[in-house]
Amino acid sequence: MAIDDVVFIDGVRTPFGRAGEKGMYWNTRADDLAVKALGKLLERNPDVPGDRIDEVAIAATTQTGDQGLTLGRTVAILAGLPITTPGYAIERMCAGAMTSVTTVSGGLALGAYDLAIAGGVEHMGHHPMGSGIDPNPRFVAERMVDQDALVMGKTAERLHDRFPELTKERSDAFALRSQQKYAEAVERGDIQADFAPVATWSEEGWGVATADEAPRPGTTMEGLAELKTPFREHGRVTAGNASGLNDGATMSLLANGKTAKELGLKPKMRLVSFAFAGVEPDIMGYGPVPSTEKALKKAGLQIDDIGLFELNEAFAVQVLSFTDHFGIADDDPRVNPWGGAIATGHPLASSGVRLMIQLARQFEQRPDVRYGVTAMCVGLGQGGTVIWENPHFKGKRK
């Protein structure tokens, strides 16, 4: 059976909110965030026949309450897709949306699907990280994993321990640049170009969410240095050099090459390869290193072939452990050129597609870049990486 190309046609996301009662989505259902994102995606692609969408895969880390009931199917119905459209929910913690993309890609490549929707949603205000779970006591009692592995902030402290050269000062400097680059991208209109506005309700009445709620444009190195280290006394991980607790949804439209050509759809990216990998759970942030090595090997590429990196900034130290491993400078302009999760926020299962949305937009602006990477760490010691090719590439091919 012939294998077809898998292409990324389009992607949108809601603005990301701060989790909790003071956040803009406190009175908004999680599944409604996903519906809003999917609705905007369909609105932006009116030439896509709804009855040609063969699958809807939507991820959530906590699949209960307004994030339960087989999200892919229920959100598809609520967003107005034909009742014949199937869907399902998927879960790989932070890499949920990324896994939604890679999972439907198999069906697209084989021709089982013509078109597919892949995305994720997380309402951390309604479903705090770890809520409702009951870890098997054998994990810790039989020392399968260190107890620190169950608290993401502690795993970041462990990375600082493992790599002493990754100092708090370096993490703070990286976090500051993230805030600054994000602010510059917003000023240019790059970030909000792919937003799906969301109606919100609070005690003040109705409003519309049109901007991310988490960024701190007034961040300074002096301010970062004074923040508490909640995961360890005299530690190095703070609220300033880590992503926050957030609410939001992302959605993408993918096709196989044959269908894209038939319908006249213009791909924004072509999937080259992907890989997931496992590492010691107590240093889960290191996961993108082996997953990227695997993805590069599968693609027959080297790290120097990659012109853009969209790395999820769960923690600054986590990104720095990746860049140090591959010999990339802390301020390399290829890495998160529009900032990252330290500024935008990280609504867990939705973040993988946010990386893809930004990379796709950057590809449009950078015809000199052929390949880009989206990569992220995953709870319990995993990493995920997807390598993409830029269809706008105008440079010399090897």
Side-chain angles (χ1 to χ4, degrees):
M1 181 179 290
I3 301 298
D4 200 352
D5 283 342
V6 176
V7 291
F8 184 101
I9 301 299
D10 198 11
V12 302
R13 71 175 176 92
T14 68
F16 289 169
R18 290 178 180 167
E21 294 185 23
K22 296 182 180 180
M24 61 188 182
Y25 295 138
W26 180 247
N27 294 312
T28 305
R29 289 179 60 95
D31 48 11
D32 280 337
L33 291 174
V35 168
K36 182 58 68 174
L38 179 51
K40 183 66 173 181
L41 182 65
L42 297 174
E43 177 188 315
R44 292 207 329 182
N45 295 275
D47 295 332
V48 172
D51 59 1
R52 295 289 295 277
I53 296 173
D54 293 307
E55 194 70 274
V56 179
I58 299 178
T61 302
T62 305
Q63 296 191 13
T64 186
D66 58 345
Q67 286 184 182
L69 198 59
T70 315
L71 278 168
R73 174 63 169 165
T74 55
V75 169
I77 293 172
L78 288 164
L81 285 174
I83 202 69
T84 52
T85 309
Y88 62 96
I90 200 163
E91 198 276 307
R92 199 201 292 260
M93 300 183 81
C94 302
M98 176 177 282
T99 305
S100 295
V101 168
T102 59
T103 301
V104 301
S105 293
L108 291 164
L110 289 172
Y113 304 153
D114 291 339
L115 299 162
I117 300 292
V121 62
E122 206 76 52
H123 200 308
M124 300 182 75
H126 294 176
H127 309 284
M129 188 185 300
S131 63
I133 66 169
D134 180 20
N136 194 306
R138 293 175 55 215
F139 268 124
V140 175
E142 297 182 17
R143 297 187 178 181
M144 293 180 179
V145 301
D146 190 279
Q147 193 163 1
D148 281 359
L150 304 180
V151 180
M152 298 303 101
K154 291 183 178 181
T155 69
E157 289 285 4
R158 286 291 190 94
L159 273 180
H160 277 291
D161 294 341
R162 180 73 65 97
F163 304 107
E165 66 274 17
L166 302 180
T167 63
K168 181 178 183 299
E169 288 72 25
R170 284 180 67 186
S171 286
D172 285 351
F174 182 89
L176 177 61
R177 285 193 298 274
S178 181
Q179 297 283 358
Q180 292 171 337
K181 289 187 290 186
Y182 173 86
E184 292 166 1
V186 168
E187 181 69 22
R188 294 191 302 269
D190 290 328
I191 299 290
Q192 57 272 46
D194 297 308
F195 277 177
V198 179
T200 61
W201 172 257
S202 69
E203 293 180 355
E204 285 74 39
W206 287 100
V208 180
T210 58
D212 290 325
E213 199 174 20
R216 298 181 177 88
T219 299
T220 64
M221 283 294 287
E222 294 75 17
L224 289 169
E226 295 174 358
L227 294 175
K228 296 180 180 179
T229 57
F231 302 106
R232 182 186 296 179
E233 189 176 0
H234 305 301
R236 293 139 297 190
V237 178
T238 71
N241 58 32
S243 60
L245 305 178
N246 304 98
D247 311 325
T250 59
M251 215 63 63
S252 65
L253 172 65
L254 297 110
N256 57 40
K258 179 182 177 182
T259 303
K261 186 175 181 180
E262 174 197 343
L263 297 177
L265 304 176
K266 295 182 179 180
K268 294 184 176 181
M269 301 192 291
R270 183 184 73 87
L271 195 153
V272 177
S273 72
F274 67 86
F276 294 90
V279 297
E280 297 95 327
D282 61 310
I283 56 163
M284 70 94 194
Y286 200 64
V289 170
S291 65
T292 299
E293 290 177 332
K294 287 175 67 174
L296 287 168
K297 184 176 181 180
K298 291 176 184 294
L301 297 172
Q302 304 294 322
I303 197 69
D304 290 341
D305 293 317
I306 307 303
L308 287 167
F309 295 86
E310 276 295 320
L311 308 177
N312 192 48
E313 298 169 359
F315 302 94
V317 66
Q318 174 264 316
V319 178
L320 293 173
S321 70
F322 178 99
T323 54
D324 265 23
H325 174 85
F326 288 109
I328 299 169
D330 292 8
D331 58 354
D332 191 305
R334 295 175 297 168
V335 177
N336 295 1
W338 296 352
I342 289 172
T344 67
H346 174 29
L348 301 183
S350 68
S351 289
V353 166
R354 179 192 67 80
L355 303 175
M356 298 170 193
I357 291 168
Q358 291 195 186
L359 180 63
R361 182 69 60 178
Q362 291 159 15
F363 272 171
E364 289 183 324
Q365 299 178 7
R366 295 288 305 277
D368 59 309
V369 170
R370 184 174 183 183
Y371 297 109
V373 156
T374 55
M376 61 198 313
C377 60
V378 190
L380 293 181
Q382 299 180 80
T385 301
V386 187
I387 299 177
W388 302 91
E389 184 176 25
N390 185 0
H392 311 287
F393 177 64
K394 302 294 185 184
K396 186 177 180 181
R397 298 176 186 270
K398 294 181 179 180

